[in-house]
Amino acid sequence: MRHLIAILLQNEAGALTRVTGLISTRGYNIESLSVAPTNDPTVSRVTLVTTGSDAVIAQINAQLLKLVDVVAVEDMTSGDHLARELLLIKLQVAVEHVEGVAALLRRFGGKALSSTPSSYIVELTSTETEIGEFIAHVGAFGDIVEVVRSGVLGISRMNPRLHVVK
């Protein structure tokens, strides 16, 4: 099963390496990884996606909590949460297909960041599934030159379950 795990981590050199090392040494692949500082500059939030049984992920989460740099861990998969990903995509679009791309952007809620005769750069924030669908559809209007995806970010709809205890 696919799991979306949020981790609060001390913002120190080597902390992320210890987290990713713990997961990879157990033979699990990290499908997506996003890291950024929180409103507390000493703490970063890591959002990662991996695959494994509920029992194995629970064991990994327990092991993560034993790492000195880890402040908190939450497997958001079973709880009520929002998950989004950012897509930046560069296209070569012929003039006659620009309106088709614009209609697709309206349908998916994206926007054009830059458009020149040689490249059309688009931004879309959505679910992984919708981003995949957008990429599949936009290829009909031009050549995909470059794709950049942020990886999944997730947040609980409930009161903060993942927070720094002071």
Side-chain angles (χ1 to χ4, degrees), residues 85-119:
E85 183 174 326
L86 170 66
L87 167 72
L88 298 175
I89 187 167
K90 187 185 301 179
L91 309 162
Q92 282 188 317
V93 180
V95 173
E96 62 269 17
H97 295 299
V98 168
E99 185 49 44
V101 173
L104 195 61
L105 285 172
R106 284 190 298 276
R107 183 174 137 209
F108 280 88
K111 66 179 179 179
L113 298 178
S114 170
S115 60
T116 67
S118 60
S119 76

Side-chain angles (χ1 to χ4, degrees), residues 7 9-10 16 29 32 36 51 62 78 98 100 104 111 117 119 146:
I7 303 165
L9 185 64
Q10 292 297 321
L16 181 61
N29 184 42
S32 170
T51 305
S78 61
V98 168
L104 195 61
K111 66 179 179 179
S119 76
E146 190 173 358

Side-chain angles (χ1 to χ4, degrees), residues 53-162:
S53 70
D54 289 343
V56 169
I57 298 300
Q59 183 180 26
I60 288 173
N61 290 345
Q63 300 266 327
L64 284 168
L65 282 169
K66 292 179 182 179
L67 293 176
V68 71
D69 300 316
V70 173
V71 176
V73 175
E74 178 187 1
D75 183 353
M76 295 193 303
T77 308
S78 61
D80 190 12
H81 68 280
L82 291 173
R84 294 292 183 266
E85 183 174 326
L86 170 66
L87 167 72
L88 298 175
I89 187 167
K90 187 185 301 179
L91 309 162
Q92 282 188 317
V93 180
V95 173
E96 62 269 17
H97 295 299
V98 168
E99 185 49 44
V101 173
L104 195 61
L105 285 172
R106 284 190 298 276
R107 183 174 137 209
F108 280 88
K111 66 179 179 179
L113 298 178
S114 170
S115 60
T116 67
S118 60
S119 76
Y120 202 85
I121 299 174
V122 168
E123 170 186 72
L124 174 64
T125 302
S126 191
T127 64
E128 280 184 285
T129 303
E130 289 177 352
I131 285 178
E133 289 175 14
F134 178 82
I135 292 170
H137 287 91
V138 79
F141 296 105
D143 295 326
I144 297 173
V145 176
E146 190 173 358
V147 174
V148 180
R149 295 172 80 160
S150 67
V152 179
L153 296 175
I155 190 165
S156 174
R157 289 182 189 253
M158 315 276 267
N159 288 333
R161 296 188 305 188
L162 189 68

